[in-house]
Structures are given as C-alpha cells and as structure tokens.
C-alpha cells in the first residue's frame, strides 16, 4: 500500500505533457505576436468572429461544448517549421514528445514543386486533444532534389555545422526520456529553451551571394539553409467562419491569398479550409567579407483556418476526386477566376448532411447518449448505434479533422514563397526515407480517428 502511494507521488511530481504543450503554445503565440504584428490582428479578428458565430448559432455552440471543443477553441493554433537534416528532424521528434506531440501523417509536397516532405506533430488522445490540440506542420528539406551538385554539397555542409537546439534543451529532453517526465521548474525551463529553436534570426549565417545562389535554386532552400534555426513561419488560429474572417481581413486592408484552399463552404464543414496572408519582407543582415551586407527575406506570414468533419478513407477518396475534378476541369489548377464556381459544382456530389455522411461511412463521428438514453439504459441495451439515434437515445457529432491537406499545404507554401514555381520534381514520395530520418514511423491519421469513434461507441454501453 505504502509502495503504491509513494509511486503515485513520484508520478504526480511531473508536469503533464498536456500542460507543457499548453505553456509552449502560449509562449510561441506571445513570441510570434511580438515578432509579427499582423498575427495579433488576426487573433483579435478571429476571436470576434468566433464569438459572433457562437452567439448566432446556438446549436453549433452546444455541439462544441458537448465535444470538449469549446474551451480549446480560443487556444487552438497550428504552426509550421522547415528543417534541413535528418538529425534535426529526429531531435525535433524527441522535443515534441516531451509535450505529448507525435508525428501523424506523411505529406509529399515534391509533386507540387516544393522540395520537402512533411509530417504534423500533434496530440493523439481524446483528452490531450481537448486539453490543447497544438500542432506543428514540420517539413524536411530534400536536398537530393537540388540538381546542382556543388550547391547541394555546400548546403549540406552549412546545415551540418549548425546546432538548432540549446544545450539545456537537449539535456532536458534526455532527462525527460530517462526519468519519464519533467518537474515544474524543469518544464518551465524546457519551454523557454525550446522556444529558442523557433525564434526568428535577422542575421543570416551565409553570405549574400550564397543566399542568392540558394534562392535562385528554390526560395525554400534559402529559407532553410541561410539561418541559425527553423524560425516558426506562421501560427494559425481556428475560425468558425473562414468566409467572414477572410472578408473582414480584406476590409482591413490585409493582402489575402486569392482562393480559400480546401473544400467549398458547406452546411456541414469537412476537413480543412485555409487562407493565408502575404509574407512579410524582412530586413536581414548577411555576413560578407567581414563587412556585412543588408538584404531582405520573405518567410513569415499569417494564416487562418476552419476545421470540419474528419473523413474516412472512403470520404477522403471522394474529396480527392472532386477536388482534382474542380482543379483540372480546364487544366488551370485553382487559378482561374471561375474556380470557386467549379469547386462548388464539383462538390454537389458530396453529401452535405450529417446523417447521410454518417450512414454512408464518409466521416468519423463521436457517439454519446442523450438525456433520454441516460435515463433509460434498459432501452439502450445493445441496440445498434443507428437505431439508438433513430430512437433519440443517442446522438452523433462530427469528429474534428486535426490534420492537414497536401494540396492545400502546397498552395500555402507556393503563395508565401512569393514564387510561381509550378514544376514538379521527378523524384517522388519517399515515406521510408522520411521515417528513417525521423527515427520512427508516422502515425496513421485514419487509425486515430477510427479509435476515437470506437471509444465513443464503446462508452455508450458502459455508461
Ligand atoms: C507549411 C505550409 C503548410 C498548412 O497549413 O497547410 C501549412 C510551410 O509553409 O512551412 O502550414
Ligand atoms: Ni499552415
């Protein structure tokens, strides 16, 4: 008995990974607000729009409340970073694990002319997601896609030399791995040290001519290779009405991307809709021949997103097919002025009510007993879920999509790199190489949603 109490006390001396993640997300948000004032404006605007939507749509407010999504909404952000080497990616995996964030999904962006492949570090358990769903879209540069051998080797040498983590951050990661957690003071220190990795540096590590050579190969390569660390390049709040948010931004004179990426506006939002705002042009100091030179670099931008129902593999296949139908209708991608109409038209074949989406197995849902169901457990018995819903004994709410979309991500990269690089690289998806660099397999997003849905179904019987 005494032994078990002592064990419990040892365990509880550690700060939960969820709490460390929340502290980290807040610290990142504060840092980015100070660095990029546009971000602060976006946060305020999105908060105002969300408040209005919740007031105008009490059903939606109740649904978010029931699913532990209301409280997390105000904190909810994703960020993005780009790293240069396998070692950097592998250490990032360990750093994010301290905060309960694990790699989910593999995104190949080379097909869209962006020489990276990516994953998203995020929490995966229901309780962790409702505590704080902070996610970081993390890309690894694929130097092997640079044709010019001498530039490729030069970039590799530059990357080999840098250390993007502080010594103390590395110590604390090791300690957490060894002992199973961090104590409050260590957790605070960890957050402060980890933050250093994601800070913007206005002094480049390469000369201006090298920067130009890298930049001419691909802007993204210059962004990854020329600096001391993988600066966070955007931090995105979640809005409940992206069309209203986009309009409000344009009214305030922000230069928004022309098209909202992802599915069209719908009664039942699915997956993810995103729009971003032009990158800042920032002054950078380049070390040149002991004298130094001043130039500019564009990397950091603003973005907002609206999240909807997580789709099953069947639903996702339908989404992918309809999206490419809209994009390829006349070979114009999403650039034509009639793209919004084409997108709308294509998606009329995607069911737009929750009952059909659920019955056709297109999306994942979280099941729960209604008051009537809780009062009449005998009637619940082992009736199938659909029968419980029909009898008013249970309801099913959409499980929110926590991940990203490769076509959208490529569009975001492209618009913010400022370029029009549209060529695709000939080398293709290489998930094995990515996982080898990461030092672990990525989690399968569908398996995670499936588990969340299954847990809710099981809980109907164990109430
Ligand atoms: C990441 C772009 C992808 C998203 O929301 O799809 C992304 C980057 O520019 O590094 O953040
Ligand atoms: Ni993003």
């Amino acid at each position: 008995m005494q032994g078990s109490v002592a064990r419990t006390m040892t365990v509880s001396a550690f700060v939960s990974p969820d709490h460390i993640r929340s502290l980290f997300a807040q610290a990142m948000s504060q840092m980015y607000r100070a660095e990029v004032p546009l971000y602060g404006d976006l946060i305020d605007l999105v908060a105002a729009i969300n408040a209005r939507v919740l007031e105008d749509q009490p059903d939606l407010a109740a649904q978010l409340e029931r699913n532990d999504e209301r409280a997390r909404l105000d904190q909810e952000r994703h960020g993005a970073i780009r790293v240069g080497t396998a070692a950097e990616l592998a250490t990032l995996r360990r750093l994010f694990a301290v905060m309960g964030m694990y790699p989910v999904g593999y995104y190949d962006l080379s097909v869209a002319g962006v020489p990276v492949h990516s994953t998203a570090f995020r929490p995966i358990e229901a309780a962790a997601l409702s505590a704080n769903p902070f996610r970081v879209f993390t890309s690894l540069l694929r130097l092997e896609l640079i044709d010019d051998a001498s530039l490729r080797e030069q970039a590799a040498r530059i990357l080999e030399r840098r250390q993007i983590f502080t010594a103390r951050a590395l110590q604390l990661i090791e300690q957490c791995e060894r002992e199973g957690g961090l104590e409050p003071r260590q957790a605070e220190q960890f957050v402060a040290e980890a933050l250093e990795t994601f800070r913007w540096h206005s002094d480049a590590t390469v000369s201006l001519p090298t920067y130009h050579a890298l930049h001419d190969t691909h802007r993204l390569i210059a962004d990854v290779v020329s600096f001391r660390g993988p600066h966070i390049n955007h931090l995105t709040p979640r809005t409940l009405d992206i069309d209203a948010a986009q309009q409000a931004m344009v009214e305030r004179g922000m230069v928004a991307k022309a098209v909202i990426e992802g599915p069209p506006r719908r009664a039942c939002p699915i997956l993810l809709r995103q729009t971003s705002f032009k990158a800042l042009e920032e002054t950078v100091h380049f070390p040149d021949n002991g004298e130094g030179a001043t130039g500019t670099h564009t990397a950091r931008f603003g973005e907002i997103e609206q999240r909807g129902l997580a789709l099953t593999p069947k639903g996702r296949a339908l989404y992918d097919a309809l999206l490419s139908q809209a994009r390829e209708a006349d070979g114009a991608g999403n650039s034509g002025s009639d793209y919004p109409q084409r997108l709308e038209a294509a998606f009329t074949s995607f069911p737009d009510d929750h009952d059909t989406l659920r019955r056709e197995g297109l999306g994942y849902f979280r099941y729960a007993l209604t008051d009537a169901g809780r009062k009449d457990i005998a009637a619940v018995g082992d009736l199938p879920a659909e029968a419980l819903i029909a009898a008013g004994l249970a309801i099913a709410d959409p499980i929110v999509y926590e991940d990203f979309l490769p076509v959208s991500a490529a569009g975001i990269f492209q618009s913010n790199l400022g370029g029009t690089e549209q060529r695709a690289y000939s080398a293709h998806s290489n998930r094995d190489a990515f996982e080898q660099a990461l030092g672990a397999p990525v989690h399968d997003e569908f398996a995670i949603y499936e588990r969340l849905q299954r847990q809710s179904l099981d809980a109907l019987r164990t109430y």
Side-chain angles (χ1 to χ4, degrees), residues 78-80 137 233-236 272 274-276 301-305 307 404 408-409 412-413 416:
H78 85 249
F137 190 89
N233 65 48
H234 64 284
L235 214 48
T236 301
L272 177 63
Q274 300 172 295
T275 184
S276 65
F301 58 95
E303 183 193 42
I304 52 168
E305 67 185 10
R307 290 184 174 267
F404 294 86
S408 302
I412 306 264
F413 264 103
N416 289 296

Side-chain angles (χ1 to χ4, degrees), residues 170-411:
L170 292 172
Q171 273 172 3
L172 288 165
I173 293 170
E174 275 164 31
Q175 178 173 341
C176 182
E177 288 170 344
R178 202 171 50 239
E179 296 180 10
L182 295 178
E183 291 172 8
R185 254 175 42 83
Q186 297 162 344
E188 259 172 53
Q189 215 179 20
F190 171 81
V191 168
E193 297 285 335
L195 200 63
E196 290 307 309
T197 296
F198 305 102
R199 193 180 287 289
W200 169 248
H201 299 282
S202 57
D203 47 335
T205 57
V206 302
S207 69
L208 193 53
T210 303
Y211 174 85
H212 282 312
L214 295 167
H215 191 275
D216 289 349
T217 307
H218 198 296
R219 286 160 183 263
L220 187 92
I221 298 172
D223 183 58
V224 175
V225 176
S226 311
F227 298 91
R228 270 187 282 150
H231 38 258
I232 178 99
N233 65 48
H234 64 284
L235 214 48
T236 301
R238 174 176 165 196
T239 174
L240 297 173
D241 186 343
I242 197 166
D243 301 282
Q246 162 110 336
Q247 197 187 332
M249 287 176 190
V250 173
E251 280 163 16
R252 292 193 192 189
M254 298 182 193
V255 186
K257 198 168 156 307
V259 174
I260 293 179
E261 299 282 355
R265 185 178 182 88
R266 295 160 44 89
C268 303
I270 53 171
L271 297 174
L272 177 63
R273 301 181 71 210
Q274 300 172 295
T275 184
S276 65
F277 300 83
K278 285 272 183 276
L280 305 177
E281 187 166 289
E282 308 188 75
T283 302
V284 174
H285 186 76
F286 294 89
D288 273 344
N289 297 329
E291 283 186 16
T294 297
T296 60
H297 178 68
T298 51
R300 300 190 300 165
F301 58 95
E303 183 193 42
I304 52 168
E305 67 185 10
Q306 180 172 359
R307 290 184 174 267
L309 175 70
L311 299 184
T312 61
K314 181 182 173 193
R316 179 55 187 270
L318 180 58
Y319 169 79
D320 286 338
L322 298 179
L323 185 73
S324 60
Q325 189 182 313
R327 291 174 68 93
E328 276 148 31
D330 59 3
N334 65 1
S335 57
S337 61
D338 64 336
Y339 179 72
Q341 289 75 39
R342 290 210 311 269
L343 187 68
E344 288 273 349
F347 273 82
T348 49
S349 14
F350 206 115
D352 197 13
D353 66 277
H354 284 146
D355 286 339
T356 312
L357 288 164
R358 196 182 67 244
R359 288 194 205 113
E360 292 191 3
L362 294 167
Y364 292 105
F365 287 83
R366 181 175 286 112
Y367 295 80
L369 293 180
T370 56
D371 284 341
R374 279 191 290 270
K375 282 193 197 114
D376 196 353
I377 291 300
V380 171
D382 46 13
L383 280 181
E386 285 303 322
L388 293 177
I389 291 172
L393 298 170
I395 47 163
D397 283 328
I399 292 181
V400 69
Y401 189 60
E402 306 283 357
D403 294 289
F404 294 86
L405 297 169
V407 175
S408 302

